[in-house]
Amino acid sequence: MADDLSKKLAAGMKAMDEGDFKKAYSSFKKLCDENPNDAECWYYKAECGNMAAGMFGAKVKDEDIIEAYNKAIELDPQCDYYESYGLYCISINKYDEAEKAFCEAAEADESRSASLYSEFAVEYFNNVMASYGEIMEDPKARAPYAKKALEYMLKALEIEPEEAKSLL
């Protein structure tokens, strides 16, 4: 059975690699129905839905993608799943949920915490700047977002705010 599942997952990933997201998504959806306790099935369903909706405008609901990521995380709370979910949340402007996911990822794999914190800071800030455009040209409007991004960069570097001020 596991061998059969591996082949079906590989076929779905191949369809994704070839850009056939409709085929890939329906195969991952079916795999989740057949293997509701397999984290990998849920993860690839989420990833495929994310790519299909983001790059190809497919009609995959945010709620369905969120549900699939959360199911994968519930079944196997690994760093990569949290990180991917966090990036997805940033892309749909769910910043609090993204922050939580990146913190969980850093906790799941402490050896990657610095890179995860800095990734959150950069992706979060870039998305905010892109989403709110001209508003962000005003330093006062930008301040709370810049502050959060900076806090995570300092966390990544293991530098306290006071030390950073003295360095600058």
Side-chain angles (χ1 to χ4, degrees), residues 8-25 27-28 48:
K8 288 180 179 177
L9 281 169
M13 287 186 266
K14 184 175 187 274
M16 242 170 58
D17 289 344
E18 292 170 353
D20 192 345
F21 290 98
K22 190 174 181 179
K23 178 181 176 184
Y25 188 73
S27 72
F28 289 129
C48 184

Side-chain angles (χ1 to χ4, degrees), residues 50 62 66 69 82-102 116-132 148 152:
N50 178 5
D62 290 344
I66 289 168
Y69 275 122
Y82 281 117
E83 179 184 17
S84 294
Y85 177 56
L87 289 168
Y88 176 69
C89 288
I90 287 172
S91 76
I92 60 169
N93 301 345
K94 288 189 175 283
Y95 301 125
D96 291 342
E97 190 68 17
E99 180 179 6
K100 186 176 148 209
F102 270 94
L116 290 162
Y117 291 142
S118 62
E119 180 182 19
F120 170 73
V122 171
E123 295 296 328
Y124 162 76
F125 193 72
N126 285 343
N127 187 273
V128 166
M129 293 299 284
S131 295
Y132 300 114
K148 182 181 289 284
Y152 275 90

